Amino acid sequence: GNQGTKTQYSSFGTFFSSMLSIVLWMAASYARSNGMFSSIWMMILAFGNCCSFIARNEKQGRNSATLVLRCTLTIAWHLCLALMIAAPVFYHDWCGYYFHCVDTPHPHDDTKLLPRPAWCSVRASEKQFAFRTFSLYAYVQKKHWNVGFMRYFELKQIPNFILAAPVLIISYCAALAWIFQSWKRHECEIGMTRGKSKIVRNFIKWAFNALRASSYYDAFSYRYETSNTKGNGTDEVENIFNSSDILLGPSFLPYYAILAGFAVVGTFLAHVQISTRLICSSCPAFYWFTAVLITRKNDPVVYSSKKGSDAEAVTRILGAEMPRIIYFFLAFYNVLGTVMHVNWLPWT
């Protein structure tokens, strides 16, 4: 009876927390369109739970039909939540179309209609994007702000790329570090089958186990497993650094996925100089990985190299100097940003 009460309370608490998160994420999407990136969280959570169900089903030998139904319902539920998060963006576009692109009588002559703006027919005119729905926001960005894939790749934008480079580099390194740590964590489960033809198979195994470990069903029961490969001529450190056990843990997959997504958007789609405020205002994983870089000097990165090699020496020196580099960047950015921004100079 006690256990049942605890389970019901836990389920209610999880549901309440999920609904509160959805409301807050919807508010974020209503304020800024990039808030809809949080819908990625829901889908990663759905696939992670399904992978957890599949792994448990294999161990317990349950009915496959039940597994399929459970996974279908899980994906459908989280897809609805993801659409709820993105709904304010769609609502914004619908309002734009309703107010500007629907036939409206002329205020001074009922027999005439107000002319439609040219961009109301953007979907019909741009046949290469015929599959897209109408988006007032996307049109304004493309027409007036020159936003689009690699549209910012111009020589005159090099200073802006330099301005955004530190944040983008840290973001990409964070995503790669999480992948590296996750691969090492699941190396035993993957089996590390050799041969070029097995690369895809190994990747699928890793992706499955990474998603499974990120599920909240396995969040508290999953045990970190590290493989000791001593004896094959090289000494490989199983963990990147001590603090990575938590800050690069398996349950943080959605955070690092969203961070990588924002980094890609900032690099190839949006104005690159907004990457700093875009990432720093919405991606906690950026700060976690920065903390890892600062605290790793006592356990520097050694990816895979013999002791005493040049590669190990370089990584040890870099590990020792990294905290100073990070501190300098943070101080320099805040001081320079304050001076430039208040004087209407180009800044993020």
Side-chain angles (χ1 to χ4, degrees):
N2 239 356
Q3 186 65 30
T5 303
K6 288 182 180 179
T7 303
Q8 292 176 4
Y9 178 78
S10 177
S11 300
F12 175 77
T14 301
F15 178 79
F16 178 79
S17 299
S18 298
M19 290 299 99
L20 180 59
S21 300
I22 296 301
V23 172
L24 295 176
W25 280 333
M26 287 180 66
S29 296
Y30 192 82
R32 293 298 298 261
S33 63
N34 51 39
M36 68 185 298
F37 260 76
S38 299
S39 60
I40 296 174
W41 177 289
M42 288 292 109
M43 299 315 301
I44 292 178
L45 191 61
F47 292 123
N49 290 342
C50 286
C51 290
S52 179
F53 297 155
I54 293 171
R56 294 188 179 194
N57 188 76
E58 290 180 355
K59 291 182 179 180
Q60 299 175 4
R62 294 180 178 177
N63 190 357
S64 298
T66 304
L67 173 65
V68 172
L69 178 61
R70 193 176 185 185
C71 286
T72 302
L73 292 176
T74 297
I75 293 176
W77 168 246
H78 286 84
L79 179 60
C80 290
L81 297 179
L83 291 175
M84 288 175 63
I85 295 172
V89 179
F90 301 139
Y91 174 73
H92 173 271
D93 288 333
W94 178 84
C95 287
Y97 186 87
Y98 178 79
F99 284 114
H100 299 286
C101 301
V102 174
D103 291 339
T104 306
H106 197 283
H108 303 296
D109 189 349
D110 293 340
T111 62
K112 296 181 179 180
L113 298 176
L114 288 175
R116 287 188 180 187
W119 43 262
C120 285
S121 57
V122 63
R123 181 180 177 184
S125 62
E126 297 185 3
K127 296 181 179 179
Q128 68 271 29
F129 298 112
F131 62 89
R132 290 178 50 187
T133 57
F134 172 85
S135 177
L136 174 60
Y137 185 69
Y139 177 81
V140 171
Q141 282 194 318
K142 182 179 180 181
K143 180 70 175 180
H144 301 286
W145 299 343
N146 195 34
V147 171
F149 181 68
M150 296 185 72
R151 283 193 162 201
Y152 227 55
F153 280 58
E154 301 174 325
L155 290 177
K156 65 180 181 180
Q157 302 299 344
I158 290 178
N160 286 323
F161 276 91
I162 295 175
L163 175 64
V167 167
L168 290 175
I169 291 173
I170 292 176
S171 299
Y172 286 122
C173 288
L176 292 175
W178 190 94
I179 292 173
F180 179 81
Q181 180 77 347
S182 177
W183 186 276
K184 297 297 292 183
R185 186 183 298 118
H186 298 292
E187 195 171 21
C188 293
E189 299 164 352
I190 296 172
M192 294 304 294
T193 308
R194 303 296 179 182
K196 294 182 178 180
S197 61
K198 305 298 182 182
I199 294 178
V200 175
R201 184 178 179 182
N202 290 338
F203 176 81
I204 293 175
K205 285 184 176 180
W206 164 75
F208 176 85
N209 285 288
L211 284 168
R212 175 184 63 82
S214 71
S215 167
Y216 56 73
Y217 287 101
D218 290 353
F220 300 103
S221 61
Y222 186 81
R223 293 183 178 181
Y224 289 91
E225 295 181 2
T226 55
S227 59
N228 188 355
T229 57
K230 291 182 179 181
N232 60 358
T234 62
D235 295 333
E236 297 184 0
V237 177
E238 292 77 10
N239 293 306
I240 298 182
F241 17 64
N242 293 336
S243 56
S244 65
D245 286 348
I246 298 176
L247 299 178
L248 292 175
S251 60
F252 289 167
L253 167 60
Y255 294 98
Y256 285 94
I258 292 175
L259 174 61
F262 273 125
V264 170
V265 169
T267 305
F268 297 102
L269 295 174
H271 291 180
V272 70
Q273 68 267 29
I274 74 167
S275 298
T276 300
R277 58 182 170 88
L278 182 69
I279 291 173
C280 292
S281 64
S282 57
C283 299
F286 174 82
Y287 298 99
W288 296 338
F289 185 69
T290 303
V292 168
L293 294 177
I294 293 173
T295 59
R296 80 180 191 178
K297 61 181 179 180
N298 295 324
D299 189 10
V301 181
V302 182
Y303 290 96
S304 179
S305 57
K306 292 183 179 181
K307 289 185 176 180
S309 65
D310 293 338
E312 184 189 22
V314 170
T315 54
R316 290 190 181 279
I317 293 174
L318 184 61
E321 296 298 326
M322 185 57 68
R324 298 177 185 175
I325 296 175
I326 297 294
Y327 290 142
F328 173 79
F329 163 70
L330 295 176
F332 180 77
Y333 181 87
N334 279 278
V335 173
L336 182 63
T338 302
V339 173
M340 294 185 68
H341 186 70
V342 298
N343 286 284
W344 300 93
L345 295 172
W347 194 246
T348 178

